[in-house]
Amino acid sequence: MAKPKTKKSERSDAGAQHRTRDKSTIKRLRMYRDGGRVVRNRKGRVVKPAPFQAPGKAGEVARIEPNRKWFGNTRVVTQGALQRFQEELGKAVKDPYKVVMRASGLPVSLLQETAKHSKVHLLQTESFTSTFGPKARRKRPHLPALDMEALAERARHSENRYKQGEDRDLVRAGPDCKEEARERVLLKGQSKRLWNELYKVIDSSDVVVEVLDARDPEGTRSKHIENFLCKEKPHKHLVLLLNKCDLVPTWVTSQWKSRLSSEYPTIAFHSSLTNSFGKGALIDIFRQFAKLHKDKKQISVGFIGYPNVGKSSVVNTLRQKKVCSVAPIAGETKVWQYITLMKRVYLIDCPGVVYPSGDSESDVVLKGVVRVENLQNPSDYIPAVLGRVREEYIREVYRVGQWTDAKDFLERLAVRMGKLLKGGEPDTNTVAKVMLNDFQRGKLPYFTPPPDAKEPAKECDGVEGEDGGDGVE
C-alpha cells in the first residue's frame, strides 16, 4: 500500500522540476569532468578537441576582447632611423663606461642579427613530419660525380688545389718530449680546484674587480678572463684596480691608469688600514652600480687576480678591519669568502689564480706566484733580479760593492750578512731567498713603465731593463 505524499515530498518534487539543468550547464559540467583535456588516438591525432580548441561554427556570433591599444597612435620607424639606433646602441653596449638601462624594453636583439641568422633552423628547412613518421620522404642522394671519369677528374682537380699548410687534419710531427717545469712548486695556482673557485666567484658577482700589481700591470692581467666576461657574461661589470701604487713613482701610476682607462674603468689604490688611497673612489663606484641594479636587494662584488697582488688587503681596507687573513706570500686565501661591506654591497674574496700566459720560470717567481721558501734552487733566479733592478738601488739596500756576476754578488752578500756554512762557505741559497722576498715585497724598487712612456725630468726613479738599458724593461 503506497504511502500518502506529505507536504515535504511535494515541495521537493516541485523544486526538482525547477532545478532541471539547461544545455549550457550540462556543457560546463562536462568540461569540468573532462578536465578540459584533448582526446587523441594512438597515432596522436585529435579525436575530440578540448573546449577551448573547438573551432567556431560558420555564422556564429563571436566577441573579441577589446584593447585600448586599438585606439592609440602607432609608431613607425624608418629603416635609416633603425640603423642609427642599432649603431648607437652597439656603441653603448661596447663602451665600459656606459650602461644600457631597461635593456628588456629595447630591441637589443637587433644587435645580434648575424648571430640570429647564423643558427641552423632545422624545422624551417625541413619539417618533422617529412623526415620522420609514415609521411617521411627520402631524399635523393647528391652525387658529385655520375661516372668514374668524372670522379677521376674531380680528384685531379682537388689534388691541384691542395695546400699542405692549410690542411688542419694533417698529422704533423711534434716534439717527442714536453718541457716541464724544473720544480713542482712552479705550477702553483693552476689547479682545477682554484679555477672552480674563480668561476664560482664570477658567477656569483654582479661586479668583477680585477686586482693588478702596479709594478707590472700587464704581467698580472688576464686577457682570458676579460674575453670570457665580454662574450659569455656581458651583463657583468668589470673594473681594473691598480694596487700597490705606493711602490712605484706617481707618473708611472698616472700613465698606466690613463692607458688602462681606455679599455675599462681603472682606479689607483693603496691598501692600508690607516693610510689608504683610492678607497673613496672605489666605494663610490660600488654605490653607483648598486643604484643601477635597483631590482636587486644587494649586489656582489668579486675580487679576482694573480696570487699575492693584494686582493684580501683591498677587502680589509674597505672594511677598515681585518676580516680576511693576509700575508706577504702567495696562497694565503684557500677558498672564496663572503664579506658584508654595507647594506646593499657584498664583497667576495677569491683565491689567486695563475692564468695561462706563457711566462718563464723567472717571471713566475718574480711575480710572487710561489713561496720563496719552497724553492730548491733560489739562486737560479737572482740574475733576473739583478737585470731588472738598478745597480745603485741594490748597493743602497744591501751595502755591497762591485761584483762580477750573480754568484759573486751572493757570496759577497752572504759574507756581509753573516750567512755562512761549515768551513766558512757562504750560504748562497739562504741569501737568495732573502733577496727574492725583498723583491716580491717591494723593498727593491722596480716597475714596468707603460709603452711609449715619457718620464718627467725631475723624477729619476726607475729600473734597468733586461738589456741593461736606461731604466725601462
Side-chain angles (χ1 to χ4, degrees):
M1 181 175 179
K3 294 182 180 180
K5 292 185 177 181
T6 60
K7 293 182 179 181
K8 185 176 181 180
S9 60
E10 291 178 359
R11 286 196 302 269
S12 61
D13 294 341
Q17 294 177 2
H18 291 291
R19 289 197 302 270
T20 305
R21 297 172 180 173
D22 55 359
K23 187 176 181 180
S24 61
T25 303
I26 295 174
K27 185 178 181 181
R28 178 169 53 84
L29 293 176
R30 286 179 178 176
M31 183 184 67
Y32 292 157
R33 184 185 62 187
D34 297 339
R37 293 176 296 182
V38 63
V39 180
R40 300 177 182 270
N41 58 6
R42 297 179 62 181
K43 294 184 178 181
R45 297 180 180 177
V46 178
V47 177
K48 182 180 178 181
F52 60 88
Q53 291 179 337
K57 298 180 181 179
E60 184 180 1
V61 179
R63 183 171 179 235
I64 302 176
E65 181 183 4
N67 196 330
R68 295 176 62 92
K69 294 182 180 180
W70 295 349
F71 309 101
N73 296 329
T74 303
R75 187 174 181 179
V76 181
V77 181
T78 60
Q79 185 65 28
L82 185 62
Q83 186 69 21
R84 287 194 299 273
F85 169 77
Q86 183 175 357
E87 293 175 358
E88 295 296 331
L89 188 58
K91 293 178 181 178
V93 170
K94 295 179 181 179
D95 191 355
Y97 291 91
K98 294 182 179 179
V99 179
V100 179
M101 305 296 294
R102 298 181 182 178
S104 60
L106 299 175
V108 185
S109 60
L110 294 174
L111 298 177
Q112 287 84 21
E113 284 291 328
T114 56
K116 183 169 63 175
H117 293 297
S118 62
K119 295 181 180 179
V120 180
H121 300 279
L122 294 178
L123 295 180
Q124 296 180 5
T125 305
E126 194 171 7
S127 62
F128 185 84
T129 56
S130 62
T131 307
F132 305 98
K135 293 185 178 180
R137 297 192 301 268
R138 182 178 179 182
K139 286 188 174 182
R140 183 178 180 181
H142 175 69
L143 301 178
L146 299 179
D147 52 2
M148 294 298 297
E149 296 179 357
L151 183 62
E153 180 64 25
R154 182 179 177 86
R156 284 192 296 269
H157 183 62
S158 299
E159 184 180 2
N160 295 333
R161 292 187 306 169
Y162 175 75
K163 295 181 180 180
Q164 186 176 358
E166 299 178 359
D167 191 357
R168 297 182 179 180
D169 299 329
L170 182 63
V171 179
R172 294 177 173 83
D176 297 336
C177 59
K178 184 178 179 181
E179 190 173 331
E180 291 287 343
R182 289 183 297 175
E183 300 183 29
R184 187 68 179 174
V185 70
L186 297 175
L187 302 178
K188 291 292 185 181
Q190 306 177 22
S191 64
K192 186 177 179 181
R193 183 190 68 83
L194 292 178
W195 279 98
N196 291 338
E197 295 287 329
L198 172 65
Y199 283 111
K200 282 194 295 185
V201 171
I202 293 177
D203 293 340
S204 304
S205 304
D206 301 299
V207 181
V208 179
V209 179
E210 186 177 3
V211 183
L212 308 178
D213 194 336
R215 297 174 292 179
D216 188 10
E218 287 294 339
T220 54
R221 189 177 174 184
S222 173
K223 293 289 187 179
H224 172 75
I225 297 298
E226 294 176 7
N227 296 334
F228 171 77
L229 291 174
C230 183
K231 295 180 181 180
E232 304 296 335
K233 311 285 184 180
H235 57 283
K236 296 183 183 294
H237 311 281
L238 179 62
V239 179
L240 301 181
L241 190 71
L242 283 174
N243 195 22
K244 301 182 181 180
C245 63
D246 57 310
L247 301 179
V248 298
T250 307
W251 66 270
V252 176
T253 304
S254 177
Q255 293 189 21
W256 269 118
K257 184 176 180 295
S258 60
R259 180 180 178 82
L260 297 176
S261 295
S262 60
E263 303 179 29
Y264 297 100
T266 307
I267 298 177
F269 198 84
H270 167 44
S271 302
S272 177
L273 296 179
T274 56
N275 187 18
S276 61
F277 176 78
K279 175 183 173 182
L282 187 60
I283 293 180
D284 289 342
I285 286 184
F286 293 163
R287 286 174 175 168
Q288 293 177 16
F289 284 132
K291 289 183 179 179
L292 292 177
H293 297 276
K294 290 184 178 180
D295 54 331
K296 298 182 179 180
K297 293 184 179 180
Q298 66 274 339
I299 64 171
S300 299
V301 181
F303 291 85
I304 64 174
Y306 258 78
N308 203 23
V309 294
K311 299 180 292 297
S312 301
S313 300
V314 173
V315 175
N316 292 340
T317 303
L318 294 176
R319 283 298 310 271
Q320 289 187 337
K321 63 180 181 180
K322 186 178 179 180
V323 293
C324 299
S325 59
V326 294
I329 54 177
E332 181 66 20
T333 304
K334 305 297 182 183
V335 294
W336 69 326
Q337 306 175 59
Y338 216 82
I339 300 99
T340 304
L341 178 62
M342 55 185 68
K343 185 177 180 181
R344 295 203 58 199
V345 179
Y346 289 81
L347 307 179
I348 306 177
D349 187 18
C350 177
V353 179
V354 179
Y355 314 111
S357 57
D359 293 336
S360 62
E361 295 181 359
S362 299
D363 294 335
V364 171
V365 174
L366 297 184
K367 284 181 182 179
V369 174
V370 299
R371 299 190 179 187
V372 176
E373 58 268 17
N374 296 333
L375 295 174
Q376 297 180 0
N377 301 309
S379 57
D380 295 343
Y381 311 102
I382 298 301
V385 178
L386 297 178
R388 296 192 182 193
V389 185
R390 283 185 176 179
E391 186 175 339
E392 54 265 26
Y393 292 123
I394 295 178
R395 287 204 196 96
E396 183 180 354
V397 173
Y398 297 114
R399 309 293 181 182
V400 178
Q402 295 291 337
W403 62 85
T404 56
D405 53 4
K407 183 178 180 181
D408 183 33
F409 171 79
L410 290 177
E411 291 177 354
R412 291 174 180 268
L413 183 59
V415 171
R416 186 190 173 279
M417 298 179 65
K419 304 294 183 180
L420 303 175
L421 299 174
K422 291 182 179 181
E425 291 291 333
D427 190 359
T428 56
N429 283 336
T430 302
V431 175
K433 291 180 181 180
V434 173
M435 191 172 182
L436 290 177
N437 279 323
D438 292 342
F439 182 86
Q440 292 180 358
R441 301 177 186 183
K443 190 175 180 179
L444 294 175
Y446 158 75
F447 62 86
T448 303
D452 303 331
K454 297 180 180 180
E455 182 179 358
K458 295 182 180 180
E459 298 193 31
C460 59
D461 293 340
V463 297
E464 284 190 357
E466 295 185 5
D467 55 350
D470 53 353
V472 179
E473 185 185 28

